[in-house]
Amino acid sequence: MRLGGVDVPHDRQLVGYSDGDVLLHAVTDALLGAAALPDIGRTFPNTDPANRHRDSAEMLVIAAHKVAEAGYQIVNLDCVIHAERPKLADYQDAIRHRIAGILRLNPHDVGLKAKSGEGVGPVGSGEVIEARCVALVESTADA
């Protein structure tokens, strides 16, 4: 299973039109939204065969370029993964560093928390993994 651009051993795979990396999709959408750009579904529609099995890291790089072209630079990210399994404590630093590398940020500017569903709901039963991200961007107009 790939989360945040890192392969995490697990007996299940994420399902998606692209590679299904739910965390990189959340980061991509957060960046696009912070710059008031079209969301990930409009930028990378699942009706376009070019996006079938597409690497989410590639999508994130394209989104970051669009954010820069719109006149913004990334300040930091605050990400949360909600998953019952796999346990992610041993992978959090690798994921933070991978996202920072993709976006050319300092790893200290990428926050990542992992939460379980504590046996409740679709996350707690292991049916789904959810990811959320808040992105802070600043205008480069005065830079």
Side-chain angles (χ1 to χ4, degrees):
M1 171 182 302
R2 181 164 292 164
L3 281 172
V6 172
D7 290 329
V8 177
H10 193 42
D11 61 350
R12 295 186 178 180
Q13 296 296 316
L14 295 171
V15 177
Y17 191 75
S18 66
D19 66 5
D21 188 327
V22 65
L23 180 56
L24 290 189
H25 287 205
V27 174
T28 299
D29 230 4
L31 289 174
L32 291 169
L37 296 169
D39 67 20
I40 191 172
R42 290 191 293 158
T43 304
F44 304 101
N46 64 5
T47 54
D48 183 345
N51 295 323
R52 183 84 176 138
H53 303 296
R54 191 171 201 168
D55 184 342
S56 295
E58 177 185 328
M59 294 164 61
L60 180 53
V61 168
I62 292 167
H65 285 294
K66 289 180 179 293
V67 168
E69 288 171 357
Y72 296 93
Q73 68 180 12
I74 303 165
V75 176
N76 62 36
L77 304 171
D78 181 21
C79 306
V80 182
I81 300 174
H82 295 270
E84 193 69 18
R85 297 185 310 115
K87 297 300 181 193
L88 298 172
D90 292 341
Y91 302 94
Q92 283 179 267
D93 283 339
I95 292 169
R96 286 179 48 251
H97 280 79
R98 175 68 176 131
I99 293 170
I102 292 167
L103 295 173
R104 297 186 176 150
L105 296 174
N106 184 314
H108 295 289
D109 294 330
V110 179
L112 176 63
K113 297 174 286 293
K115 306 290 184 181
S116 76
E118 298 186 8
V120 178
V123 170
S125 67
E127 295 174 50
V128 299
I129 292 178
E130 295 177 349
R132 291 184 170 73
C133 179
V134 175
L136 177 62
V137 299
E138 67 182 355
S139 174
T140 56
D142 295 330

